[in-house]
Amino acid sequence: MRRTALLASATLLTALLPLGAAGTASGADDPAPVPVDRFEGEVPFAAQPAEGIFTWGGDSDDPPTLALTAREDAPEGDKVLTGGYDISGYGGFTHDFAADRPAHDWSAHKGIRLWWEGRNTGKKIPFEIKDGGANGEASELWTTSFTDDFTGWKQIELPFTDFTYRTDYQPVGGIDQVLDLTAMWGYALTLPVGLKGDFAMDDVELYGKADQSLRAWVTTDAAVYPVKEGRTADVRITVATTGSAPLDEPVTVGYTTDPTGTATAGKDYAPATGELTFPAGTASGTARTVHVRTLKDRSAESAETIPLKLTVTGAKPPTDTPQVVVDAHGLPYLDTHLPIKKRVADLVSRMSLAEKAGQMTQAERGAMTAPGDIATYALGSLLSGGGSTPTPNTPAAWAKMIDGFQLRAQATRFQIPLIYGVDAVHGHNNLTGATIMPHNIGLGATRDPALAERTADVTAAEVRATGVPWDFAPCLCVTRDERWGRSYESFGEDPALVKSMETVIQGLQGRADGRDLDRDDKVLATAKHFVGDGGTAYGSSTTGTYTIDQGVTTVTRSELEAVHLSPYETAVDRGIGTVMPSYSSLDVVGDGQGPVKMHARADMLTGVLKGRMGFDGFVISDWNGIDQLPGDNAAHVRASVNAGVDMAMVPYTYKEFTGTLVDEVKAGRVTQRRIDDAVSRILTQKFRLGLFEHPYADTSGASRIGSAAHRAVARQAAAESQVLLKNAHDVLPLSRHQKVYVAGSNADDLGNQTGGWTITWQGSSGDITKGTTVLDGMRDAGGHVTYSKDASASLSGYDVGVVVVGETPYAEGVGDVGNGNDLELTAADTAAVHKVCAAMKCVVLVVSGRPQLVGDILGETDALVASWLPGTEGDGVADVLYGRRPFTGQLPVTWPKSEAHLPINVGDAAYDPQFPYGWGLTTRTKVSRGGLGTLRALAAAAKAADRRGSDRLGREAVTAARLLVQQRIGARMDEAVAKPFAAADHAVLRGRYGEAVSELTRAYGAVGR
């Protein structure tokens, strides 16, 4: 059926189609409709850079099937677009315009419309348009939706004024967040999830005349105007247009103070009313100011609100009604001279149950599509999950974003500031251009607690300078199985090593009593993940395709205390401010409980952590962690809060959590005492951070983010984290006079060397931030370097080869071995090693978050380096390769011979690794000469150091003994040698130097037996 025939009989059409299907009548001065898609074959099924229609989805089953199908009832032409779908994750299709041609200008039209054959599913169908940017896949996404609640063909009209900027996903992070419509790249349609079906659509076109309210809008300079009692609030009202063009038509803004606020007209403020006119021809950006005068009395009061209602004609009104807020004043909790404990008690006594529930709630910034919810639900906290960043991703944009959220909190009765948190686990890793440190596994390899503290100093300073006062770090897990996708977040497999590196807590927070938390370079730290997350059994995870992460840790009580709990005792002694429970379950042998999720273990969270250890901070759940508990939502809330969770990280379900928590208290299933305890703990940290007095970002330190001084610390950490596993014929250090051939997948990939939790949650390969790769560092060192990633360039004429191999980024259970990952080098990396090492002396660097299996290449390498994930400063790796700094790192975990040997850890009854825990050759000094006689002398010196309590002398004696023993061992490693060698390093970390030398002497004597 031709379109001309359809339009010939409007009466017949109206009778045949559902009510409203014929669309709206066009005005006489409306431009003619402009076709976008007729689906007659004029647009092919193709992808960028050509113009075309293509499908996409969350997995292989999600992309729909598409076809151009001839239909007698086609609303336009002969064919329609049809498709079938069965979507479990997400899926849909896109029409992108050709990337090598100019974008389209849609600004003359009112909106976009299409014909849809309804199936009456009741499902919403999101429809996106692509605005600005370089092409259809690098543009801003603007979205609206329509509901399939009809049967048969219906023309769906989508005015451009209905489209909103997507806050949950932007492929390029946004451009200017203004729907200009002058450079459009196409559209996309998302099909409903959880529904198997088919669809048909036809004739996508632009319609109607553009509404000035799409091109002109009225804004206020803020959503909230806090003002001291008796002062005047100045509300600046601005009119702006797309492209900064003058107004075509007048815009009027009526204003009136709204008596529905909590302030009383005539008592708390002088009513204000009037109208502002912006005539046609007014320049974009023109502003007028409305003054709201508050009145002063002598009583102490909580904050009071005065909404300023705006009525706009001729332009789009502000998203929110601006509110003037008369600041709270005269109340004890605001008195900085009172002890924090008294301020907290006073504030808690004034709060309603709903306000307390709000303080116990943390939402994701991406969920704040309605920022007014911060005040409506009295939210206590927001966070940025991995990769959740402002646009642009700059320090200034972070500060502006967080200040905007903090401003919303000022519209609450008691103006309790938000506490904003991020996962800055190796530097401010969400921020482009920040200083990225080695991951914890690399810091553990340094065996340098003072340096670890300095890395945390830098992290804290860079995080706080962007307005973030809270860091979800450090991870105090004791990694016991390198198949775990989080193993690089651990300092190592030995609890004594983890405890020694907890100097990072002071680097983040300052002094243990919390006195430094209000400084502009310190943040609240989080010990995670309590408790036993590093001990989960392989195959015990029930989370999706994870194999070990979020699984079950089965231990005896003594193992739990000695291995997994002991780092938390140290953290509490160091004044840790918050603790995060693990996703994993704990099964303590003999306690009769079986496996219980940590978010529900009251015996651990309340009994051990808060009770026995005396932890006085607050417990924050992991991301949606309470949802993994048995039962319905009420059961999740009840079990977690009663177990000791003080604040719930419920990224997108904050409304449900607060409402359910209130209901549980009213029903008597959660006590008011438990609520008051939780809120008191949260408020105590907010007071310690100085947020009540200074809620907004102090950006005075922003200029130091990514500075040379900060990068120098990261460079040193990268250098000290390098572990020299083998160095036959002293091939290392390199000389700048040598001709060096560099190959391997990780030689020149900043994303691979920084790993997961870098810019995004999972991290990614490539130039994702600012830094130097290993190859850059070698070139910076002045060496004569040639690079061929796959070793395909000629191999002749070189003195030595350096092959940099290893892993690509991952995080958490996504990186579990068995979940699409293993510990083998890739075929390409292995081939590069074979080629280079067959042609010349060679050094192999393994850039990874955990040991890789190197048995197949070990014999052909002259030198082997565990390079871990060194961060953004590849110059630090080059420093040790070229001898600017010596190799001093030691293995923080046991390096296995095969996957079958896992788990393998220091102290195991059977212990036969490729390299033992603590192994690490050095280029610092020459090894002491001698044999058992030298070791006996060193043992005597170590025992004397034990008696005197001299750590320095003890460590010097052990280091000399260790180097001597390593030289004797060489390649003759076996179980008899490895066990005492690893035990020696464990003894060092406990300050038992004489015992350490004795173990090393045992290892020496076992060589060659």
Side-chain angles (χ1 to χ4, degrees), residues 47 188 196 214 245 263 279 359 648 708 795 919:
K196 186 174 183 178
L214 182 67
Q359 284 302 299
L795 293 159
W919 185 266

Side-chain angles (χ1 to χ4, degrees), residues 87-119:
I87 297 170
S88 58
Y90 63 89
F93 60 91
T94 292
H95 175 185
D96 274 356
F97 301 145
D100 59 353
R101 297 181 186 178
H104 295 204
D105 187 344
W106 293 358
S107 62
H109 295 274
K110 180 177 182 179
I112 190 167
R113 63 190 178 193
L114 59 103
W115 289 86
W116 186 263
E117 188 176 27
R119 301 290 189 264

Side-chain angles (χ1 to χ4, degrees), residues 156-176:
I156 308 295
E157 294 193 343
L158 304 170
F160 291 134
T161 51
D162 288 352
F163 284 82
T164 59
Y165 180 81
R166 275 193 67 171
T167 58
D168 58 331
Y169 170 72
Q170 287 289 343
V172 293
I175 298 164
D176 58 8

Side-chain angles (χ1 to χ4, degrees), residues 432-434 436 706 711 750 767-772 872-873:
T432 302
I436 305 301
R711 291 183 183 275
L750 193 61
D767 293 331
I768 59 174
T769 188
K770 180 181 178 183
T772 56
T872 51
E873 307 313 300

Side-chain angles (χ1 to χ4, degrees), residues 253-274:
V253 181
Y255 64 88
T256 184
T257 47
D258 191 337
T260 60
T262 58
T264 303
K267 174 179 177 293
D268 298 310
Y269 67 95
T273 187

Side-chain angles (χ1 to χ4, degrees), residues 168-496:
D168 58 331
Y169 170 72
Q170 287 289 343
V172 293
I175 298 164
D176 58 8
Q177 298 187 34
V178 175
L179 182 57
D180 297 294
L181 295 170
T182 57
M184 303 303 295
W185 291 104
Y187 67 87
L189 191 143
T190 303
L191 293 163
V193 177
L195 186 70
K196 186 174 183 178
D198 57 69
F199 72 92
M201 66 181 286
D202 198 15
D203 190 27
V204 182
E205 65 180 12
L206 308 176
Y207 75 96
K209 181 183 178 182
D211 188 337
Q212 179 176 273
S213 64
L214 182 67
R215 303 191 311 277
W217 58 92
V218 169
T219 61
T220 57
D221 55 330
V224 178
Y225 295 82
V227 62
K228 294 186 182 300
E229 186 185 55
R231 304 274 180 90
T232 296
D234 299 323
V235 181
R236 187 177 174 86
I237 297 174
T238 302
V239 64
T241 62
T242 300
S244 299
L247 292 177
D248 292 335
E249 303 167 12
V251 171
T252 61
V253 181
Y255 64 88
T256 184
T257 47
D258 191 337
T260 60
T262 58
T264 303
K267 174 179 177 293
D268 298 310
Y269 67 95
T273 187
E275 184 176 270
L276 306 175
T277 300
F278 298 88
T282 298
S284 177
T286 300
R288 306 275 191 271
T289 301
V290 172
H291 305 286
V292 179
R293 183 167 59 90
T294 68
L295 306 176
K296 193 168 186 176
D297 58 32
R298 297 181 180 275
S299 60
E301 295 174 300
S302 58
E304 297 169 315
T305 58
I306 310 164
L308 185 64
K309 185 177 179 180
L310 302 180
T311 304
V312 178
T313 58
K316 191 173 182 178
T319 303
D320 296 300
T321 297
Q323 292 190 79
V324 175
V325 179
V326 183
D327 286 338
H329 55 278
L331 301 173
Y333 77 90
L334 296 170
D335 187 348
T336 59
H337 297 97
L338 289 178
I340 288 177
K341 188 173 182 178
K342 287 189 175 181
R343 296 177 72 182
V344 169
D346 176 70
L347 181 51
V348 171
S349 72
R350 299 175 185 277
M351 296 169 68
S352 69
L353 176 57
E355 288 167 329
K356 293 174 182 177
Q359 284 302 299
M360 295 173 65
T361 307
Q362 183 182 66
E364 221 287 328
R365 61 166 285 280
M368 290 294 104
T369 54
D373 282 355
I374 292 171
T376 301
Y377 294 92
L379 296 180
S381 180
L382 294 181
L383 84 151
S384 279
S388 178
T389 64
T391 302
N393 188 0
T394 63
W398 275 87
K400 180 180 179 181
M401 173 187 72
I402 295 169
D403 282 355
F405 291 140
Q406 287 286 18
L407 186 62
R408 297 285 187 163
Q410 294 298 299
T412 58
R413 270 206 309 164
F414 301 112
Q415 299 179 302
I416 302 172
L418 295 165
I419 179 171
Y420 199 98
V422 297
D423 287 275
V425 299
H426 63 140
H428 197 354
N429 43 253
N430 273 326
L431 173 64
T432 302
T435 308
I436 305 301
M437 303 293 171
H439 270 293
N440 285 353
I441 196 75
L443 293 181
T446 69
R447 297 299 200 280
D448 190 340
L451 177 59
E453 183 172 349
R454 288 174 60 207
T455 67
D457 281 333
V458 170
T459 297
E462 295 198 0
V463 169
R464 195 69 183 254
T466 59
V468 178
W470 185 14
D471 185 3
F472 305 131
C475 185
L476 301 185
C477 52
V478 182
T479 180
R480 307 294 283 179
D481 190 333
E482 275 56 65
R483 290 172 290 189
W484 187 36
R486 296 196 90 134
S487 56
Y488 63 76
E489 294 188 51
S490 172
F491 293 112
E493 71 185 37
D494 185 347

Side-chain angles (χ1 to χ4, degrees), residues 464 509 514-522 687-691 694:
R464 195 69 183 254
Q509 291 194 165
R515 282 183 291 169
D516 296 328
L517 283 173
D518 61 352
R519 284 172 37 176
D520 65 1
D521 61 351
K522 293 300 172 189
F687 278 116
R688 286 176 174 171
L689 286 162
L691 294 177
H694 304 287

